Amino acid sequence: MPRRRTPLAWKNLTHDPRRLAVACAGIGFAVLLMFVQVGFENALFVSQVRLINDLEGDIFITSQARFALAAEKRFPRALLYQAEAVEGVAAAAPLYAEWTTSVLKNLSPGKSAKGYRIRTFGYRLDQPVFKSPRVQEQAGRLRSLQTALIDARSKAPNFDFPVGDPERLRAAPAELAGQRVSLVGAFKLGADFVHDGNLVMSAASLARYFPYRNRRGDPLAAVDIGVVRIAPGERPADVRDRIAAKLGGNVWVHTRRDLRRREMRFWRQSTPIGVVFWAGKVIGFVVGVVICYQVIFSGISDHMPEFATLKAMGYNNAYFTRLIVTEALWLSAMGFVPGALVSWALYAWLGGQTGLQMDMTPDVLLLVLGSTIAMCVVSGLLAVRKLLTADPASLF
């Protein structure tokens, strides 16, 4: 009969259920820390580029002074007309926005009188710029001045409008930039780290609320983002180069991919937020290493006489290294599962409270799982050093 091998690593871990539970809780806590850091970092980048993804265009034009989407730097509308005349361009539509001065208040009885920052977008209703079917379906409601659609993913505790009930939403009193506004419908976009939510209205309504957009006169003569659709069969990069050559050095001309990369690079490299999240992930990893090291080291210390016997019987260092690494792998698996489940619930709760998109994607799972395995293996290799360097006789 073949000789059965004793699963020593498994038995070392499971012989004391209480200690195993404490170990799994400690590692699960480290896993939770890493999930939260990765989740917030991804939410930051996804929320900042979500607008780019939701625009109905292939090429985007911005002012050269606009270092990020949230910067209120605009370019003359006349340049958009020039871009529309470029070969390969099917249409060029302006998107107007108020990024920093737009404040919305819920005037319903019992609600806070405090206003919250909200992005307000305006567009020409005969030139749709949003992909959202909900915006397109409700565009007719925006023909009346001082009407708007509100983002259903806005931070609910701040605005608390009945976005799920169209009749109650229309009846809810609201104020935008010191003037009454009628919320005639809802759509979904999502908040970001700068703004609590979003409004969409006609360009004419936006000009009425924010007449100071352009110091030279017409508020709609200054465009925030030019949304360009290319003709069928054209390559975005080719049309981008033609537009850039036509407009000269007055504006930036981006494909969707270029604009996404530029925006994410700004938030990752030019703001302290990216550094903070990176440091948070490192701290979570280090905390996990310390916790896992203590668990494995305690197990080794408690079983020194048994390990001494095995060493005296001729088991080499490679065997003990494999044993401890196997224990570390078991611990990583048993700690990752509860940590991932708690993180999944926390993601759902934080997403509802903040309006940020915190998704437990396969990429996030694999990243944290790989970090957890590395964390536990490193801890095991550090903890096993005392056993490997000890003389068998001194262990009794």
Side-chain angles (χ1 to χ4, degrees):
M1 291 182 62
R3 186 177 60 179
R4 296 183 59 185
R5 298 178 65 89
T6 301
L8 187 58
W10 176 255
K11 290 184 176 296
N12 277 348
L13 286 176
T14 57
H15 82 284
D16 187 343
R18 180 178 298 179
R19 171 178 288 182
L20 178 61
V22 172
C24 291
I27 296 170
F29 175 72
V31 170
L32 176 63
L33 286 179
M34 290 189 287
F35 264 120
V36 169
Q37 293 299 324
V38 172
F40 271 121
E41 183 180 33
N42 287 347
L44 166 67
F45 295 133
V46 170
S47 66
Q48 297 307 134
V49 302
R50 187 184 296 141
L51 172 63
I52 302 171
N53 298 336
D54 284 1
L55 290 178
E56 189 69 76
D58 306 292
I59 295 172
F60 305 93
I61 304 173
T62 63
S63 166
Q64 282 200 339
R66 187 179 286 271
F67 52 85
L69 289 181
E72 288 193 334
K73 304 296 181 180
R74 304 178 174 103
F75 66 92
R77 184 175 54 193
L79 294 179
L80 200 58
Y81 296 149
Q82 295 180 35
E84 197 166 22
V86 171
E87 179 187 355
V89 173
L95 176 65
Y96 304 100
E98 281 298 319
W99 308 81
T100 60
T101 60
S102 181
V103 175
L104 180 68
K105 294 181 180 180
N106 187 341
L107 301 180
S108 299
K111 304 298 181 183
S112 172
K114 179 181 178 181
Y116 294 92
R117 290 176 63 181
I118 193 166
R119 283 187 303 191
T120 302
F121 297 111
Y123 73 102
R124 294 187 56 175
L125 300 183
D126 59 340
Q127 294 181 309
V129 294
F130 289 99
K131 288 182 179 179
S132 170
R134 293 291 296 152
V135 173
Q136 296 175 15
E137 292 167 2
Q138 301 176 90
R141 302 177 184 176
L142 301 178
R143 298 191 184 280
S144 299
L145 290 177
Q146 295 183 286
T147 57
L149 306 177
I150 188 170
D151 184 3
R153 289 177 177 165
S154 298
K155 294 179 182 177
N158 290 353
F159 298 112
D160 198 22
F161 286 106
V163 293
D165 188 333
E167 296 300 324
R168 290 180 57 208
L169 179 61
R170 292 191 190 95
E175 181 182 282
L176 175 66
Q179 303 178 52
R180 293 297 291 267
V181 61
S182 177
L183 304 177
V184 295
F187 69 103
K188 292 184 179 180
L189 179 58
D192 61 18
F193 276 72
V194 181
H195 308 92
D196 293 330
N198 304 281
L199 288 178
V200 167
M201 59 179 54
S202 69
S205 290
L206 184 132
R208 183 162 182 169
Y209 285 107
F210 308 102
Y212 47 78
R213 284 173 42 84
N214 185 7
R215 296 178 182 177
R216 298 180 180 179
D218 182 4
L220 301 182
V223 177
D224 287 82
I225 302 176
V227 182
V228 178
R229 288 187 291 110
I230 64 175
E234 294 283 352
R235 295 179 65 248
D238 293 340
V239 180
R240 174 200 61 194
D241 294 343
R242 291 182 209 139
I243 295 175
K246 176 73 173 180
L247 302 184
N250 299 310
V251 292
W252 294 114
V253 184
H254 308 277
T255 62
R256 189 188 304 276
R257 183 179 182 183
D258 294 339
L259 188 55
R260 281 174 51 90
R261 286 180 174 178
R262 187 169 183 268
E263 187 72 11
M264 293 178 70
R265 184 169 61 248
F266 169 79
W267 287 98
R268 182 179 286 117
Q269 299 178 2
S270 302
T271 69
I273 298 177
V275 177
V276 169
F277 284 130
W278 178 84
K281 288 187 289 186
V282 172
I283 291 172
F285 183 86
V286 172
V287 168
V289 169
V290 172
I291 293 174
C292 191
Y293 173 84
Q294 293 293 335
V295 170
I296 296 176
F297 186 82
S298 296
I300 292 175
S301 299
D302 291 347
H303 294 92
M304 274 299 186
E306 291 85 350
F307 287 132
T309 301
L310 292 175
K311 267 203 165 188
M313 293 171 60
Y315 285 86
N316 58 23
N317 288 343
Y319 171 81
F320 293 109
T321 301
R322 289 195 302 271
L323 174 68
I324 299 304
V325 168
T326 302
E327 285 190 28
L329 292 174
W330 276 115
L331 281 173
S332 68
M334 290 186 286
F336 177 80
V337 172
L341 291 175
V342 174
S343 300
W344 176 78
L346 186 61
Y347 273 27
W349 182 78
L350 288 173
Q353 293 296 308
T354 64
L356 298 174
Q357 188 171 334
M358 300 189 67
D359 296 329
M360 188 71 71
T361 64
D363 290 343
V364 172
L365 285 169
L366 290 175
L367 174 62
V368 178
L369 176 60
S371 300
T372 305
I373 292 173
M375 173 183 77
C376 292
V377 170
V378 168
S379 303
L381 293 176
L382 291 174
V384 79
R385 290 180 303 166
K386 178 180 179 180
L387 174 60
L388 299 183
T389 57
D391 182 75
S394 67
L395 297 178
F396 287 98

